Amino acid sequence: MGVDVRMRGMVALAQGMAAAHAPDESWRAAAEGARDALGGSFAALSVWERDLGRLRVLVNAGERVPGEEEFPQDEAYPVHQFPEIAEFLHEKWAGGGGPNAWVETAVGPAAGDPGYRHQRVAALRRRGRGCCVVAPIILHGRAWGELYVARPVGAPVYDADDADFATVIASVVAAGIAQTERLEEVRRLAFTDPLTGLANRRAVDARLDEAITLHRRDGTVVSLVVCDLNGLKAVNDTHGHAVGDRLLERFGTVLSVCGAKLPGALAARLGGDEFCLLTVGPGADEVIVVADELCLRAGALDLGEGVACGIASTADPIGQVRSARRLFRLADAAQYRAKAERSAVPVVAGRDGMSIRLADAAPDNSGAVEGARRHFRDARPPLPEPEPERE
């Protein structure tokens, strides 16, 4: 291959990884870019999972054979079958060498060469490929995984120059992976509450907007459970904020455990002593059962005074829900009723005869979810007196 073709391929690889918005997009860009730059027909990117002692394939790109998926769920190989990544490379580094790529062919090594290559030779033959170049990917000074690029039987066999170029490509891939990991960490921090490890309000807003879009399109049930942890101020005043933080963490754990019973539920801390559980798909009754358990388990915590819990679900008679703001206002109103009445069980908007009126009575002069919730809290009308019981 010409130098210009190789350089264009490497530039395309770097640009593709830089433009990726998710790890799998970055992996695909790395494999496809390496395949094109090295003139291969197939490429794979694998990560060395040290704790499990295996090489796990992240992506297969190009001409795949039966059984090879683009993003395999369970394609992994014990590292002892391919020990170069764990042993051979480190031995070379200790001797002053570097993590250089190497070439394998379906013909196999010369007779008597012990090597580590018999498994790769067998794999080439089994999959109808003539040769491959394997390049270790080094990240933060450690072997992270490997890049594998193959050609079919009958194509020119890779040589030493190709291996050197593959080593350079692997360094570009490593830089792209490092960038992806940094971006993922930034995203994680941006959407995670640092104290509890739950999602934060920003994550809820984003997920709820998507959920309401689904609901408006095909009627998907969306439910929101808003919780207010009772007694946090008293705990902070009496025992200190460190103990209050432990109460928040413990309730966050309870919320996560209960939420796990609803497929795809998002457990979040909205801020202060407010939490929520967002579900997309499960029916309202399923959500209520889980919220009942949540209230019960929160009441059993050593600290605090349980939780006030309000629920709003599009599956209940609450009128049209065209925005995330509307569902939040309804759940907030139900939660307010639960707190004002010291209810030990959730209050469900549309089933209590009052939460909808409370939500509708609050001013709505903010387009943002948090703004609407703040206006609602600041302007809640007093609860009406309960009707006298009939004789």
Side-chain angles (χ1 to χ4, degrees):
M1 294 178 64
V3 174
D4 289 344
V5 174
R6 285 183 166 181
M7 290 306 298
R8 285 198 298 271
M10 194 154 60
V11 169
L13 184 156
Q15 291 176 337
M17 295 191 74
H21 296 291
D24 56 352
E25 293 179 9
S26 178
W27 303 334
R28 181 198 287 124
E32 291 179 346
R35 178 201 62 199
D36 294 343
L38 283 162
S41 59
F42 172 85
L45 183 67
S46 303
V47 62
W48 176 18
E49 295 181 330
R50 285 176 168 79
D51 55 339
L52 300 177
R54 67 182 189 177
L55 280 171
R56 180 169 65 87
V57 178
L58 300 174
V59 62
N60 291 311
E63 298 175 6
R64 301 191 298 272
V65 301
E68 287 180 332
E69 300 175 357
E70 182 178 20
F71 293 106
Q73 296 297 312
D74 55 5
E75 185 180 354
Y77 304 94
V79 76
H80 69 81
Q81 294 181 0
F82 301 92
E84 306 95 322
I85 194 72
E87 299 173 1
F88 176 62
L89 296 176
H90 290 296
E91 291 174 8
K92 287 191 67 176
W93 296 341
N100 297 321
W102 67 93
V103 174
E104 305 282 2
T105 72
V107 175
D113 182 353
Y116 295 105
R117 300 173 289 188
H118 61 285
Q119 292 287 352
R120 295 189 188 274
V121 171
L124 285 171
R125 292 172 179 170
R126 186 169 61 251
R127 292 166 180 165
R129 293 171 182 141
C131 65
C132 68
V133 58
V134 184
I137 296 172
I138 311 303
L139 198 61
H140 311 308
R142 304 175 66 188
W144 179 91
E146 69 175 34
L147 178 67
Y148 174 100
V149 182
R151 284 175 174 170
V153 173
V157 173
Y158 286 121
D159 58 22
D161 287 341
D162 294 316
D164 289 342
F165 184 51
T167 300
V168 175
I169 290 177
S171 68
V172 175
V173 170
I177 291 171
Q179 177 190 24
T180 299
E181 290 185 349
R182 286 193 295 270
L183 290 174
E184 282 300 299
E185 179 64 11
V186 169
R187 292 190 185 103
R188 187 189 67 80
L189 292 174
F191 291 96
T192 303
D193 174 61
L195 176 64
T196 62
L198 300 177
N200 63 12
R201 185 181 62 80
R202 184 182 292 109
V204 174
D205 288 350
R207 180 76 67 85
L208 187 53
D209 283 339
E210 295 173 357
I212 295 300
T213 298
L214 280 176
H215 169 69
R216 294 179 62 184
R217 186 179 69 199
D218 58 20
T220 298
V221 176
V222 181
S223 303
L224 187 65
V225 182
V226 173
C227 308
D228 192 288
L229 193 56
N230 295 326
L232 178 63
K233 185 178 185 303
V235 171
N236 286 335
D237 292 345
T238 304
H239 303 286
H241 285 273
V243 176
D245 285 349
R246 287 205 297 275
L247 173 59
L248 290 168
E249 290 179 280
R250 291 187 63 191
F251 179 71
T253 298
V254 171
L255 181 65
S256 177
V257 170
C258 291
K261 298 184 178 183
L262 298 167
L266 179 69
R269 182 186 177 204
L270 298 172
D273 57 3
E274 289 194 310
F275 295 76
C276 82
L277 193 65
L278 170 61
T279 69
V280 183
D285 289 340
E286 297 175 71
V287 175
I288 292 170
V289 168
V290 168
D292 278 331
E293 180 181 350
L294 177 64
C295 289
L296 184 65
R297 297 184 63 165
L301 293 175
D302 294 337
L303 297 170
E305 301 170 9
V307 66
C309 187
I311 304 173
S313 175
T314 61
D316 280 331
I318 57 175
Q320 288 188 331
V321 177
R322 296 187 175 278
S323 68
R325 183 173 67 252
R326 174 65 177 170
L327 198 65
F328 248 123
R329 287 164 63 84
L330 289 164
D332 241 355
Q335 183 270 325
Y336 169 61
R337 282 209 64 209
K339 195 170 188 71
E341 297 178 358
R342 297 184 177 276
S343 175
V345 296
V347 171
V348 185
R351 300 189 185 189
D352 66 331
M354 193 179 299
S355 296
I356 294 177
R357 293 201 302 272
L358 286 174
D360 290 341
D364 185 8
N365 51 6
S366 171
V369 168
E370 182 58 24
R373 301 185 69 232
R374 183 168 58 251
H375 283 294
F376 173 77
R377 290 194 295 269
D378 292 344
R380 282 183 263 204
L383 282 173
E385 293 295 327
E387 296 180 4
E389 295 183 5
R390 296 181 178 178
E391 294 293 335

CSV table of all heavy atoms in Angstrom, one decimal, residues 119-161:
chain,number,residue,atom,x,y,z
A,119,GLN,N,-2.8,-21.0,18.5
A,119,GLN,CA,-4.3,-20.7,18.5
A,119,GLN,C,-4.7,-19.7,17.4
A,119,GLN,O,-5.7,-19.9,16.8
A,119,GLN,CB,-4.6,-20.1,19.9
A,119,GLN,CG,-4.5,-21.1,21.0
A,119,GLN,CD,-5.6,-22.2,21.0
A,119,GLN,OE1,-6.5,-22.1,20.2
A,119,GLN,NE2,-5.5,-23.2,21.9
A,120,ARG,N,-3.8,-18.7,17.1
A,120,ARG,CA,-4.1,-17.8,16.1
A,120,ARG,C,-4.1,-18.4,14.7
A,120,ARG,O,-4.9,-18.1,13.8
A,120,ARG,CB,-3.2,-16.6,16.2
A,120,ARG,CG,-3.4,-15.8,17.4
A,120,ARG,CD,-2.6,-14.5,17.4
A,120,ARG,NE,-2.6,-13.8,18.7
A,120,ARG,CZ,-3.5,-13.0,19.1
A,120,ARG,NH1,-4.6,-12.8,18.3
A,120,ARG,NH2,-3.4,-12.4,20.3
A,121,VAL,N,-3.1,-19.3,14.5
A,121,VAL,CA,-3.0,-20.0,13.2
A,121,VAL,C,-4.3,-20.8,13.0
A,121,VAL,O,-4.9,-20.8,11.9
A,121,VAL,CB,-1.8,-20.9,13.2
A,121,VAL,CG1,-1.8,-21.8,12.0
A,121,VAL,CG2,-0.5,-20.0,13.2
A,122,ALA,N,-4.7,-21.5,14.1
A,122,ALA,CA,-5.9,-22.4,14.0
A,122,ALA,C,-7.1,-21.5,13.7
A,122,ALA,O,-8.0,-21.9,12.9
A,122,ALA,CB,-6.1,-23.2,15.3
A,123,ALA,N,-7.2,-20.3,14.3
A,123,ALA,CA,-8.3,-19.4,14.1
A,123,ALA,C,-8.3,-18.9,12.6
A,123,ALA,O,-9.4,-18.8,12.0
A,123,ALA,CB,-8.3,-18.3,15.1
A,124,LEU,N,-7.2,-18.6,12.1
A,124,LEU,CA,-7.1,-18.1,10.7
A,124,LEU,C,-7.6,-19.2,9.8
A,124,LEU,O,-8.4,-18.9,8.9
A,124,LEU,CB,-5.7,-17.8,10.4
A,124,LEU,CG,-5.1,-16.4,10.9
A,124,LEU,CD1,-3.6,-16.4,10.7
A,124,LEU,CD2,-5.8,-15.2,10.3
A,125,ARG,N,-7.2,-20.4,10.0
A,125,ARG,CA,-7.6,-21.5,9.1
A,125,ARG,C,-9.1,-21.8,9.2
A,125,ARG,O,-9.8,-22.0,8.2
A,125,ARG,CB,-6.8,-22.8,9.4
A,125,ARG,CG,-5.3,-22.7,9.1
A,125,ARG,CD,-4.6,-23.9,9.7
A,125,ARG,NE,-3.2,-23.9,9.4
A,125,ARG,CZ,-2.3,-24.7,9.9
A,125,ARG,NH1,-2.6,-25.6,10.8
A,125,ARG,NH2,-1.0,-24.6,9.6
A,126,ARG,N,-9.6,-21.7,10.5
A,126,ARG,CA,-11.0,-22.1,10.7
A,126,ARG,C,-11.9,-21.0,10.0
A,126,ARG,O,-13.0,-21.4,9.6
A,126,ARG,CB,-11.2,-22.1,12.2
A,126,ARG,CG,-12.6,-22.5,12.6
A,126,ARG,CD,-12.7,-22.8,14.1
A,126,ARG,NE,-12.4,-21.6,14.9
A,126,ARG,CZ,-11.3,-21.5,15.6
A,126,ARG,NH1,-10.4,-22.4,15.7
A,126,ARG,NH2,-11.1,-20.4,16.4
A,127,ARG,N,-11.4,-19.8,9.9
A,127,ARG,CA,-12.3,-18.7,9.4
A,127,ARG,C,-11.9,-18.3,8.0
A,127,ARG,O,-12.4,-17.4,7.4
A,127,ARG,CB,-12.1,-17.5,10.3
A,127,ARG,CG,-12.8,-17.8,11.7
A,127,ARG,CD,-12.4,-16.8,12.7
A,127,ARG,NE,-13.1,-17.1,14.0
A,127,ARG,CZ,-12.8,-16.6,15.2
A,127,ARG,NH1,-11.8,-15.7,15.2
A,127,ARG,NH2,-13.4,-16.9,16.3
A,128,GLY,N,-11.1,-19.1,7.4
A,128,GLY,CA,-10.8,-18.9,6.0
A,128,GLY,C,-9.9,-17.7,5.7
A,128,GLY,O,-10.1,-17.1,4.6
A,129,ARG,N,-9.1,-17.3,6.6
A,129,ARG,CA,-8.3,-16.1,6.4
A,129,ARG,C,-6.8,-16.5,6.2
A,129,ARG,O,-6.4,-17.5,6.8
A,129,ARG,CB,-8.4,-15.1,7.6
A,129,ARG,CG,-9.8,-14.6,7.7
A,129,ARG,CD,-10.1,-13.8,8.9
A,129,ARG,NE,-11.5,-13.3,8.9
A,129,ARG,CZ,-12.4,-13.3,9.9
A,129,ARG,NH1,-11.9,-13.7,11.1
A,129,ARG,NH2,-13.6,-12.9,9.7
A,130,GLY,N,-6.1,-15.7,5.4
A,130,GLY,CA,-4.7,-16.1,5.1
A,130,GLY,C,-3.7,-15.6,6.1
A,130,GLY,O,-2.7,-16.3,6.3
A,131,CYS,N,-3.9,-14.4,6.6
A,131,CYS,CA,-2.9,-13.8,7.5
A,131,CYS,C,-3.5,-12.7,8.3
A,131,CYS,O,-4.6,-12.3,8.0
A,131,CYS,CB,-1.7,-13.2,6.7
A,131,CYS,SG,-2.2,-11.8,5.6
A,132,CYS,N,-2.8,-12.3,9.3
A,132,CYS,CA,-3.3,-11.2,10.2
A,132,CYS,C,-2.1,-10.5,10.8
A,132,CYS,O,-1.0,-11.1,10.9
A,132,CYS,CB,-4.2,-11.8,11.3
A,132,CYS,SG,-3.4,-12.8,12.5
A,133,VAL,N,-2.3,-9.3,11.2
A,133,VAL,CA,-1.4,-8.6,12.0
A,133,VAL,C,-2.0,-8.2,13.3
A,133,VAL,O,-3.2,-7.8,13.3
A,133,VAL,CB,-0.9,-7.3,11.2
A,133,VAL,CG1,-2.0,-6.4,10.9
A,133,VAL,CG2,0.2,-6.6,12.0
A,134,VAL,N,-1.3,-8.4,14.4
A,134,VAL,CA,-1.8,-8.2,15.7
A,134,VAL,C,-1.0,-7.1,16.4
A,134,VAL,O,0.2,-7.2,16.5
A,134,VAL,CB,-1.8,-9.5,16.6
A,134,VAL,CG1,-2.4,-9.3,17.9
A,134,VAL,CG2,-2.5,-10.6,15.9
A,135,ALA,N,-1.7,-6.1,16.9
A,135,ALA,CA,-1.0,-4.9,17.5
A,135,ALA,C,-1.5,-4.7,18.9
A,135,ALA,O,-2.7,-4.5,19.1
A,135,ALA,CB,-1.2,-3.7,16.7
A,136,PRO,N,-0.7,-4.8,19.9
A,136,PRO,CA,-1.1,-4.5,21.3
A,136,PRO,C,-1.5,-3.0,21.4
A,136,PRO,O,-0.9,-2.1,20.8
A,136,PRO,CB,0.1,-4.8,22.1
A,136,PRO,CG,1.3,-4.7,21.2
A,136,PRO,CD,0.8,-5.0,19.8
A,137,ILE,N,-2.5,-2.8,22.2
A,137,ILE,CA,-3.0,-1.4,22.5
A,137,ILE,C,-2.5,-1.1,23.9
A,137,ILE,O,-2.9,-1.8,24.9
A,137,ILE,CB,-4.5,-1.3,22.4
A,137,ILE,CG1,-4.9,-1.5,20.9
A,137,ILE,CG2,-5.0,0.1,22.8
A,137,ILE,CD1,-6.3,-1.6,20.7
A,138,ILE,N,-1.7,-0.1,24.1
A,138,ILE,CA,-1.2,0.3,25.4
A,138,ILE,C,-1.8,1.6,25.8
A,138,ILE,O,-1.8,2.6,25.1
A,138,ILE,CB,0.4,0.5,25.3
A,138,ILE,CG1,1.0,-0.7,24.6
A,138,ILE,CG2,1.0,0.7,26.7
A,138,ILE,CD1,0.7,-2.0,25.2
A,139,LEU,N,-2.4,1.5,27.0
A,139,LEU,CA,-3.1,2.6,27.6
A,139,LEU,C,-2.6,2.9,29.0
A,139,LEU,O,-2.6,1.9,29.8
A,139,LEU,CB,-4.6,2.4,27.6
A,139,LEU,CG,-5.6,3.6,27.7
A,139,LEU,CD1,-5.4,4.5,26.5
A,139,LEU,CD2,-7.0,3.1,27.7
A,140,HIS,N,-2.2,4.1,29.3
A,140,HIS,CA,-1.7,4.4,30.6
A,140,HIS,C,-0.5,3.5,31.0
A,140,HIS,O,-0.4,3.1,32.2
A,140,HIS,CB,-2.8,4.4,31.7
A,140,HIS,CG,-4.1,5.1,31.3
A,140,HIS,ND1,-4.0,6.4,30.9
A,140,HIS,CD2,-5.4,4.7,31.2
A,140,HIS,CE1,-5.3,6.8,30.6
A,140,HIS,NE2,-6.1,5.8,30.8
A,141,GLY,N,0.3,3.2,30.0
A,141,GLY,CA,1.5,2.4,30.3
A,141,GLY,C,1.2,0.9,30.5
A,141,GLY,O,2.1,0.1,30.9
A,142,ARG,N,0.0,0.4,30.3
A,142,ARG,CA,-0.4,-1.0,30.5
A,142,ARG,C,-1.0,-1.5,29.2
A,142,ARG,O,-1.6,-0.8,28.5
A,142,ARG,CB,-1.3,-1.1,31.7
A,142,ARG,CG,-0.8,-0.6,33.0
A,142,ARG,CD,-1.8,-0.7,34.1
A,142,ARG,NE,-2.1,-2.1,34.4
A,142,ARG,CZ,-3.1,-2.4,35.2
A,142,ARG,NH1,-3.9,-1.5,35.7
A,142,ARG,NH2,-3.3,-3.7,35.6
A,143,ALA,N,-0.9,-2.8,29.1
A,143,ALA,CA,-1.6,-3.5,28.0
A,143,ALA,C,-3.1,-3.4,28.2
A,143,ALA,O,-3.6,-4.0,29.2
A,143,ALA,CB,-1.1,-4.9,27.8
A,144,TRP,N,-3.8,-2.7,27.3
A,144,TRP,CA,-5.3,-2.6,27.4
A,144,TRP,C,-6.0,-3.7,26.6
A,144,TRP,O,-7.0,-4.1,27.1
A,144,TRP,CB,-5.6,-1.2,26.9
A,144,TRP,CG,-7.1,-0.9,26.9
A,144,TRP,CD1,-7.8,-0.3,27.9
A,144,TRP,CD2,-8.1,-1.1,25.9
A,144,TRP,NE1,-9.1,-0.1,27.6
A,144,TRP,CE2,-9.3,-0.6,26.4
A,144,TRP,CE3,-8.0,-1.7,24.6
A,144,TRP,CZ2,-10.5,-0.7,25.6
A,144,TRP,CZ3,-9.1,-1.8,23.8
A,144,TRP,CH2,-10.4,-1.3,24.3
A,145,GLY,N,-5.4,-4.0,25.5
A,145,GLY,CA,-6.1,-5.0,24.6
A,145,GLY,C,-5.3,-5.2,23.3
A,145,GLY,O,-4.1,-4.9,23.3
A,146,GLU,N,-6.0,-5.5,22.3
A,146,GLU,CA,-5.3,-5.7,21.0
A,146,GLU,C,-6.1,-5.3,19.8
A,146,GLU,O,-7.4,-5.4,19.9
A,146,GLU,CB,-4.8,-7.1,20.9
A,146,GLU,CG,-5.9,-8.2,20.7
A,146,GLU,CD,-5.3,-9.6,20.4
A,146,GLU,OE1,-4.3,-9.9,21.0
A,146,GLU,OE2,-6.0,-10.3,19.7
A,147,LEU,N,-5.5,-5.0,18.8
A,147,LEU,CA,-6.1,-4.7,17.5
A,147,LEU,C,-5.7,-5.8,16.5
A,147,LEU,O,-4.5,-6.1,16.4
A,147,LEU,CB,-5.6,-3.3,17.0
A,147,LEU,CG,-6.1,-2.9,15.6
A,147,LEU,CD1,-7.6,-2.7,15.6
A,147,LEU,CD2,-5.4,-1.6,15.1
A,148,TYR,N,-6.6,-6.4,15.8
A,148,TYR,CA,-6.4,-7.5,15.0
A,148,TYR,C,-6.9,-7.2,13.6
A,148,TYR,O,-8.1,-6.9,13.5
A,148,TYR,CB,-7.1,-8.7,15.6
A,148,TYR,CG,-7.1,-10.0,14.8
A,148,TYR,CD1,-6.2,-11.1,15.1
A,148,TYR,CD2,-8.1,-10.2,13.8
A,148,TYR,CE1,-6.3,-12.2,14.4
A,148,TYR,CE2,-8.1,-11.4,13.1
A,148,TYR,CZ,-7.2,-12.4,13.4
A,148,TYR,OH,-7.3,-13.6,12.7
A,149,VAL,N,-6.1,-7.3,12.6
A,149,VAL,CA,-6.5,-7.0,11.2
A,149,VAL,C,-6.1,-8.2,10.3
A,149,VAL,O,-5.0,-8.6,10.4
A,149,VAL,CB,-5.9,-5.7,10.7
A,149,VAL,CG1,-6.5,-5.5,9.2
A,149,VAL,CG2,-6.3,-4.5,11.6
A,150,ALA,N,-7.1,-8.7,9.5
A,150,ALA,CA,-6.8,-9.9,8.7
A,150,ALA,C,-7.1,-9.7,7.3
A,150,ALA,O,-7.8,-8.8,6.9
A,150,ALA,CB,-7.6,-11.1,9.3
A,151,ARG,N,-6.4,-10.5,6.4
A,151,ARG,CA,-6.7,-10.6,5.0
A,151,ARG,C,-7.1,-12.0,4.6
A,151,ARG,O,-6.8,-12.9,5.3
A,151,ARG,CB,-5.4,-10.2,4.2
A,151,ARG,CG,-5.1,-8.7,4.2
A,151,ARG,CD,-3.7,-8.5,3.5
A,151,ARG,NE,-3.5,-7.0,3.4
A,151,ARG,CZ,-2.3,-6.5,3.0
A,151,ARG,NH1,-1.3,-7.3,2.8
A,151,ARG,NH2,-2.1,-5.2,2.9
A,152,PRO,N,-7.9,-12.1,3.5
A,152,PRO,CA,-8.3,-13.4,3.1
A,152,PRO,C,-7.2,-14.3,2.5
A,152,PRO,O,-6.1,-13.7,2.1
A,152,PRO,CB,-9.4,-13.1,2.1
A,152,PRO,CG,-9.0,-11.8,1.5
A,152,PRO,CD,-8.4,-11.0,2.6
A,153,VAL,N,-7.5,-15.5,2.3
A,153,VAL,CA,-6.5,-16.4,1.7
A,153,VAL,C,-6.3,-15.9,0.2
A,153,VAL,O,-7.3,-15.5,-0.5
A,153,VAL,CB,-7.1,-17.9,1.6
A,153,VAL,CG1,-6.2,-18.8,0.8
A,153,VAL,CG2,-7.2,-18.4,3.1
A,154,GLY,N,-5.1,-15.9,-0.2
A,154,GLY,CA,-4.8,-15.4,-1.6
A,154,GLY,C,-4.4,-14.0,-1.6
A,154,GLY,O,-3.8,-13.6,-2.6
A,155,ALA,N,-4.7,-13.2,-0.6
A,155,ALA,CA,-4.2,-11.8,-0.6
A,155,ALA,C,-2.8,-11.7,-0.2
A,155,ALA,O,-2.2,-12.7,0.5
A,155,ALA,CB,-5.1,-11.0,0.4
A,156,PRO,N,-2.1,-10.6,-0.5
A,156,PRO,CA,-0.7,-10.5,-0.1
A,156,PRO,C,-0.5,-10.6,1.4
A,156,PRO,O,-1.4,-10.1,2.2
A,156,PRO,CB,-0.3,-9.1,-0.5
A,156,PRO,CG,-1.2,-8.8,-1.7
A,156,PRO,CD,-2.5,-9.5,-1.3
A,157,VAL,N,0.5,-11.3,1.9
A,157,VAL,CA,0.7,-11.6,3.3
A,157,VAL,C,1.4,-10.3,3.9
A,157,VAL,O,2.2,-9.7,3.3
A,157,VAL,CB,1.6,-12.8,3.5
A,157,VAL,CG1,2.0,-13.0,4.9
A,157,VAL,CG2,1.0,-14.1,3.0
A,158,TYR,N,0.9,-10.0,5.1
A,158,TYR,CA,1.5,-8.9,5.8
A,158,TYR,C,3.0,-9.1,6.0
A,158,TYR,O,3.4,-10.2,6.3
A,158,TYR,CB,0.8,-8.6,7.1
A,158,TYR,CG,-0.6,-8.0,7.0
A,158,TYR,CD1,-1.7,-8.7,7.5
A,158,TYR,CD2,-0.8,-6.8,6.4
A,158,TYR,CE1,-3.0,-8.1,7.4
A,158,TYR,CE2,-2.0,-6.2,6.3
A,158,TYR,CZ,-3.1,-6.9,6.8
A,158,TYR,OH,-4.4,-6.3,6.7
A,159,ASP,N,3.8,-8.0,6.0
A,159,ASP,CA,5.2,-8.1,6.2
A,159,ASP,C,5.6,-7.2,7.4
A,159,ASP,O,4.8,-6.7,8.1
A,159,ASP,CB,6.0,-7.8,5.0
A,159,ASP,CG,5.7,-6.3,4.5
A,159,ASP,OD1,5.2,-5.5,5.3
A,159,ASP,OD2,5.9,-6.1,3.3
A,160,ALA,N,6.9,-7.1,7.6
A,160,ALA,CA,7.4,-6.4,8.7
A,160,ALA,C,7.1,-4.9,8.7
A,160,ALA,O,6.8,-4.3,9.7
A,160,ALA,CB,9.0,-6.5,8.8
A,161,ASP,N,7.0,-4.3,7.5
A,161,ASP,CA,6.6,-2.9,7.4
A,161,ASP,C,5.2,-2.7,7.8
A,161,ASP,O,4.8,-1.7,8.4
A,161,ASP,CB,6.8,-2.4,5.9
A,161,ASP,CG,8.3,-2.2,5.6
A,161,ASP,OD1,9.1,-2.1,6.5
A,161,ASP,OD2,8.6,-2.2,4.4
